[in-house]
Amino acid sequence: MFRLETEVDKARRDLLRARLRDANRAASPILRALRGTPDERDVPLHVWAVNDRTDDLAGGLVGHTWATWLHVTYLWVDERHRGRGLGAGLLAQAEHLATTSRGCRSARLETWDFQAPRFYEKQGYEVVCVVPDYPPGITEYTLTKRLG
């Protein structure tokens, strides 16, 4: 018999993650080969656009690299600076760092229909997944790009 518990438990979460990672490695020779390599762990990658005069944040990109992939988690540009190429510059810099210093060959990201799917397509990304009504009334897109 088992009981089901619903409380948030960080120690159990970490244990579950470790056990899942071990099971994935046992099932996949590709994931097993990552063990002990620099590609085994997520490595943060951040790019910031900071105003030289005021130190205000004009935009930024937060992501990470893992297993030759750049994952863009957040990309934001202050409304006052949109349409001037700043977002494209942030993305290009992240892609450059990912390829030249981390050996990445691909990138991926998620965006919603009201955010920037067309912007990413202009930067060479392709839609590989569409999730309608996530959250309700919104469509989520997953896009990828081959780098280099």
Side-chain angles (χ1 to χ4, degrees):
M1 237 19 195
F2 301 95
R3 69 179 180 275
L4 300 180
E5 299 177 359
T6 60
E7 77 275 353
V8 173
D9 184 324
K10 291 179 181 178
R12 285 183 181 165
R13 178 205 61 200
D14 293 345
L15 176 62
L16 184 76
R17 183 185 310 142
R19 289 184 177 173
L20 180 59
R21 189 180 317 122
D22 290 344
N24 289 343
R25 283 187 191 127
S28 169
I30 293 168
L31 294 177
R32 195 167 40 253
L34 288 175
R35 188 166 197 152
T37 71
D39 288 332
E40 179 181 26
R41 301 228 180 267
D42 294 356
V43 179
L45 192 152
H46 298 178
V47 182
W48 306 108
V50 181
N51 187 303
D52 285 332
R53 288 176 278 145
T54 64
D55 259 1
D56 288 341
L57 183 65
L61 181 147
V62 171
H64 67 272
T65 56
W66 175 75
T68 73
W69 279 81
L70 164 64
H71 187 129
V72 177
T73 308
Y74 309 118
L75 174 60
W76 173 82
V77 173
D78 185 285
E79 196 172 323
R80 296 170 292 173
H81 305 292
R82 292 181 189 159
R84 300 181 193 174
L86 185 54
L90 289 163
L91 190 57
Q93 180 66 18
E95 292 171 355
H96 175 75
L97 290 170
T99 57
T100 60
S101 65
R102 303 191 186 185
C104 289
R105 297 187 302 260
S106 302
R108 65 167 292 172
L109 56 88
E110 295 83 27
T111 191
W112 286 321
D113 55 6
F114 65 86
Q115 288 178 321
R118 304 308 155 245
F119 163 80
Y120 292 115
E121 288 176 323
K122 289 178 187 175
Q123 310 312 310
Y125 285 75
E126 296 179 28
V127 174
V128 296
C129 179
V130 177
V131 184
D133 217 29
Y134 181 76
I138 296 172
T139 299
E140 181 183 74
Y141 295 89
T142 300
L143 297 98
T144 63
K145 178 181 179 178
R146 287 284 173 203
L147 302 175

